[in-house]
Amino acid sequence: KQWYQRRVRGRNEMSTKKEHLLGLLSQENINRDEFEKACFQGIPDGCGMRSTCWKILLNYLPFETTDWEEVLSKQRNAYTQFIKTMIVDPNAAGDGHDHPLSSSPTSIWTGFFKENEVLSQIDKDVRRLCPDLSFFQQATKFPATFCSQSLRTRVEQANLQSMNVTSSKSGRSELKRPKRKNNDDDAYQILPEGQEAHWEVCERILFIFARLNPGISYVQGMNEILGPIYYTFVTDGREEEEFAEADAFFCFTGLMSEIKDNFIKILDFSQCGISHNMNELMLILLQTDPQLHEALDRRSIKPQFFSFRWRKERKAVEE
C-alpha cells in the first residue's frame, strides 16, 4: 500500500511539473530563472517537452517564444547548406587540372585527404556509440540523400588508402588491411544503399563540426556528448524528427563552446584543463572519502581511468 501511494504521489508531482513547464513555455517571454529552476527539478516525458527545454537551455532557442519559428527556419537552412558545401566530391568540385597527386597547397585534394584522417577517427568512435541501445543501429527516416558524396564512400576510400601491399608466395601482389585490436571491431554494420543509420547521422554532425572548428577539430569522447542530445531530439520530439540532425548540431556546438577546454590538448595542464580538474577531483576525494582514495591509490587506479568520462558527461548534463 505504501509503495502504491508513493507511486501515485510521484505521478501527481510529475503531472504538476508538466503543467508548470507547459505554462512557462506558452508565455511570449519565458522567465529565465523560473524556467531553469523548473527544468533542474526534472523535465517530464512526452509532448516533446524535454527536447524543447534542452534547446532553450543550450541557447539554441531564445527565451522569446515569438522568435522560435524564425530562428529554427534560419538555423536548419544553414545546416543544410553546411552539408552541401562541406561534404563534396573533389572529382565533381575540381577544375579539371587538379588531381589527387597534386602537391599544391591550394589543391582541393590536399584538404580532402587531411579531412579523411579526422573522418576515420570519427567513424571508429560513432560505430561504438551507446552499444547498449539498438537505436543507433536503426535507419533514420530522413537520410541526407542530397549530399554530392556520402561519408560512407569517403570512409571506404580512406580505409583503402590504409591497406598494405603484400606479396603472396606465388609473387602476386595483394591488398591487406592492417590488423585491428579486438575492441576496434565495427560494432555497427552498414545499411543498404539509400539508407542511413542514426550513427551515420552523428558521424556527419561531428565531421561538419570538426570542419567548422579546426582549432578543436574532433577529439575522442565528443561522440558520447552528442549521442544523448541526438537521441532525445529524435525520440522525444517526434513531430520535429525531420530536423533532429540540424537541431542536435547547433545544440552540440553550443555545449562544446562551454566545455571545449576539456578537449584542447595544450590546455591539459592549465587551470581550465582536464589534468588540473582530475587532480582537483582527487584532492576533494581525499578530503571527503579518504578510504576510497586510499583504495584507488593502492590499486594504482589513476583518475584518467574514470574521471574524464564522468566529468565530461556530468558537465554535459549540467549544461
Side-chain angles (χ1 to χ4, degrees):
K1 184 178 180 181
Q2 291 179 347
W3 171 84
Y4 177 76
Q5 290 176 341
R6 287 196 300 270
R7 188 172 182 181
V8 171
R9 192 183 307 115
R11 287 181 176 177
N12 291 337
E13 290 176 356
M14 192 58 67
S15 178
T16 302
K17 288 180 181 179
K18 186 174 182 179
E19 292 176 1
H20 180 50
L21 271 173
L22 284 174
L24 291 172
L25 293 172
S26 65
Q27 299 174 1
E28 289 189 1
N29 291 282
I30 301 173
N31 183 292
R32 176 189 288 266
D33 293 336
E34 190 176 353
F35 174 76
E36 291 180 347
K37 182 179 179 181
C39 288
F40 293 150
Q41 292 175 349
I43 303 174
D45 294 322
C47 304
M49 188 177 298
R50 178 172 284 110
S51 59
T52 300
C53 290
W54 281 21
K55 290 170 187 175
I56 298 171
L57 293 171
L58 292 170
N59 300 316
Y60 179 46
L61 288 177
F63 284 92
E64 294 75 24
T65 58
T66 53
D67 295 336
W68 284 5
E69 185 176 352
E70 180 182 355
V71 169
L72 290 173
S73 177
K74 179 181 178 181
Q75 297 293 73
R76 289 165 177 171
N77 287 334
Y79 183 74
T80 300
Q81 290 303 311
F82 289 157
I83 295 177
K84 291 180 177 179
T85 58
M86 295 187 182
I87 304 178
V88 296
D89 183 355
N91 289 304
D95 57 6
H97 300 288
D98 202 358
H99 55 83
L101 299 180
S102 173
S103 59
S104 172
T106 60
S107 171
I108 191 172
W109 288 96
T110 302
F112 179 79
F113 291 135
K114 289 182 179 179
E115 292 163 8
N116 278 356
E117 295 176 7
V118 176
L119 178 59
S120 294
Q121 181 59 55
I122 294 174
D123 185 73
K124 291 178 183 177
D125 292 345
V126 294
R127 286 174 184 264
R128 299 191 294 263
L129 181 59
C130 302
D132 296 335
L133 293 177
S134 63
F135 167 81
F136 289 97
Q137 303 178 49
Q138 299 170 8
T140 175
K141 298 177 183 177
F142 305 98
T145 54
F146 54 84
C147 288
S148 64
Q149 185 189 45
S150 71
L151 291 182
R152 183 185 300 180
T153 303
R154 291 186 62 163
V155 170
E156 291 172 352
Q157 292 174 347
N159 288 340
L160 181 62
Q161 293 166 9
S162 66
M163 295 177 73
N164 299 323
V165 179
T166 61
S167 297
S168 64
K169 293 181 179 179
S170 61
R172 185 176 60 185
S173 296
E174 296 177 345
L175 285 174
K176 288 187 177 181
R177 295 183 184 275
K179 290 184 178 180
R180 285 186 162 196
K181 298 178 181 178
N182 291 334
N183 61 356
D184 267 352
D185 291 337
D186 295 345
Y188 297 165
Q189 301 303 315
I190 299 294
L191 296 180
E193 192 67 29
Q195 296 184 27
E196 280 186 336
H198 288 294
W199 67 263
E200 292 184 279
V201 178
C202 291
E203 181 174 62
R204 182 164 50 243
I205 293 173
L206 292 168
F207 179 70
I208 292 176
F209 175 84
R211 286 212 56 189
L212 288 172
N213 300 271
I216 307 175
S217 188
Y218 172 78
V219 178
Q220 191 174 27
M222 290 182 180
N223 57 313
E224 294 173 357
I225 293 176
L226 172 63
I229 298 174
Y230 175 73
Y231 173 81
T232 298
F233 289 176
V234 172
T235 59
D236 185 63
R238 292 291 185 183
E239 67 282 357
E240 293 198 330
E241 184 178 349
E242 179 181 358
F243 308 106
E245 179 178 352
D247 295 345
F249 168 79
F250 284 107
C251 287
F252 172 75
T253 301
L255 179 56
M256 284 304 303
S257 68
E258 299 292 332
I259 63 175
K260 62 183 179 182
D261 289 348
N262 289 325
F263 294 90
I264 300 177
K265 191 172 183 179
I266 60 174
L267 296 179
D268 278 357
F269 296 95
S270 68
Q271 287 193 344
C272 59
I274 188 63
S275 294
H276 174 82
N277 290 334
M278 287 190 292
N279 292 333
E280 191 176 58
L281 173 64
M282 295 306 289
L283 287 175
I284 295 174
L285 183 61
L286 177 61
Q287 296 170 359
T288 57
D289 196 337
Q291 289 183 338
L292 176 57
H293 184 278
E294 182 183 356
L296 293 173
D297 185 61
R298 188 169 58 251
R299 292 170 174 81
S300 298
I301 300 177
K302 305 296 183 183
Q304 293 90 328
F305 299 157
F306 64 90
S307 64
F308 177 65
R309 174 174 289 187
W310 178 79
R311 282 188 58 87
K312 171 165 56 63
E313 294 184 354
R314 178 178 173 82
K315 184 68 175 177
V317 172
E318 289 176 349
E319 293 294 341

